[in-house]
């Protein structure tokens, strides 16, 4: 599984390649799926470019993307889009057009309540567990853990020299992860080292302009589809290079 993360918290200041409007997001999603992406993660934006959980912003984005692709489409529920936990929960309750799944960052205040509401609405939950936070510990103790769709193991270390070690440490923190599938990814300079590790460990991963604006050789990525194409090649190469790797993640360890 290679998920495409279309835009994230980026804005128009990050370049014309970053899709913002519903139409741009739909086109970018279609190109990425054609390149091999198997699901879509998107941050719906206001006309000013701010992440939003408003149903009036969410619905047009989901409808536009679904008109172009037939893969699952998920959205963020990040606290930066609505910092107040009660207001964030109210926003989620007000959704009229529902995503297939939504990511919930377990270290954020109100995460359990948001995840519980999503599950009661029939929306699958990606449990976002960020490195360097209390997310893994809180998720381990969560009664909702066994019911999530998957764990989104997010390595926030942007240093390409240390991101793989940070990823292995995060996987060790997660342990059995309630037996849920794990999607492992990095960001910025750590994106490609962590993606190759995911290939070696046989874990799902993601790629897109949310995580990096650059191809592995340092060139600027022209689109999400370019990143997906490169990711599939790198993931496969990582898997082949990792045959027999003693560091294979077994749900309880990630030894080097």
């Amino acid at each position: 599984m290679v998920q495409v993360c279309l835009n994230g918290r980026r804005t128009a200041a990050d370049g014309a390649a970053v899709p913002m409007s519903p139409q741009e997001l739909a086109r970018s999603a279609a190109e990425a799926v054609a390149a091999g992406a198997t699901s879509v993660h998107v941050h719906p934006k206001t006309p000013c470019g701010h992440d939003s959980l408003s149903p009036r912003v969410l619905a047009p984005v989901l409808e536009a993307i679904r008109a172009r692709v037939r893969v699952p489409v998920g959205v963020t529920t990040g606290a930066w889009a609505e910092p107040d936990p009660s207001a964030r929960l109210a926003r989620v309750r007000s959704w009229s057009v529902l995503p297939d799944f939504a990511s919930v960052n377990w270290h954020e205040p109100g995460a359990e309540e948001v995840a519980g509401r999503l599950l009661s609405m029939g929306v699958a939950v990606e449990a976002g567990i960020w490195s360097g936070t209390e997310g893994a510990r809180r998720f381990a103790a969560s009664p909702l853990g066994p019911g999530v769709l998957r764990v989104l193991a997010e390595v926030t270390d942007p240093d390409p020299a240390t991101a793989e070690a940070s990823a292995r440490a995060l996987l060790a923190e997660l342990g059995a992860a309630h037996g849920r599938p794990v999607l492992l990814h990095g960001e910025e300079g750590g994106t490609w080292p962590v993606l190759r590790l995911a290939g070696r460990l046989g874990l799902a991963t993601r790629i897109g302009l949310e995580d990096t604006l650059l191809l592995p050789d340092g060139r600027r990525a022209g689109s999400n589809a370019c990143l997906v194409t490169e990711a599939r090649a790198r993931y496969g190469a990582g898997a082949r290079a990792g045959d027999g790797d003693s560091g294979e993640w077994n749900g309880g360890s990630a030894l080097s």
Side-chain angles (χ1 to χ4, degrees):
M1 173 186 170
V2 177
Q3 182 183 88
V4 62
C5 48
L6 296 175
N7 57 354
R9 298 170 68 180
R10 300 196 191 274
T11 68
D14 291 299
V18 180
M20 304 290 285
S21 70
Q23 294 73 29
E24 291 171 347
L25 289 163
R27 174 185 50 76
S28 188
E31 292 171 352
V33 170
T38 55
S39 72
V40 174
H41 172 76
V42 62
H43 290 212
K45 305 278 188 181
T46 66
C48 296
H50 301 299
D51 285 12
S52 176
L53 306 183
S54 166
R56 290 178 294 180
V57 175
L58 192 83
V61 169
L62 291 175
E63 290 168 347
I65 293 175
R66 283 172 170 158
R68 299 287 301 272
V69 304
R70 294 292 181 268
V71 301
V73 182
V75 300
T76 184
T77 63
W80 56 87
E82 182 52 75
D84 180 74
S86 297
R88 195 180 329 131
L89 185 60
R91 284 292 199 190
V92 169
R93 283 186 182 132
S94 71
W95 289 352
S96 53
V97 177
L98 299 179
D100 297 295
F101 60 91
S103 60
V104 178
N105 299 319
W106 233 261
H107 65 280
E108 294 176 347
E112 292 272 342
E113 292 77 9
V114 170
R117 172 56 59 176
L118 287 164
L119 291 170
S120 73
M121 294 164 63
V123 177
V125 170
E126 284 185 325
I129 311 298
W130 293 19
S131 61
T133 72
E134 292 292 303
R137 181 184 62 78
R138 293 179 182 177
F139 182 69
S142 173
L144 299 179
V148 306
L149 175 66
R150 60 179 156 259
V151 172
L152 197 62
E154 307 199 31
V155 182
T156 59
D157 181 353
D159 188 338
T162 57
E164 179 178 328
S166 296
R168 290 186 181 276
L170 177 57
L171 292 174
E173 274 190 90
L174 279 168
H178 290 289
R180 305 315 300 144
V182 172
L183 185 158
L184 176 67
H185 76 97
E187 63 180 37
E188 305 303 349
T191 299
W192 295 105
V194 174
L195 184 140
R196 289 191 291 269
L197 176 64
R200 294 200 300 276
L201 300 182
L203 298 175
T205 193
R206 80 175 198 185
I207 193 68
L209 293 166
E210 171 173 355
D211 289 344
T212 183
L213 299 172
L214 303 177
L215 295 166
D217 62 6
R219 288 180 297 127
R220 190 93 171 182
S223 68
N224 280 303
C226 291
L227 288 169
V228 170
T229 298
E230 189 66 35
R232 285 172 57 85
R234 299 276 168 159
Y235 182 94
R240 291 190 293 275
D243 286 347
D245 183 358
S246 63
E248 182 177 357
W249 186 73
N250 62 12
S253 64
L255 305 177
S256 58

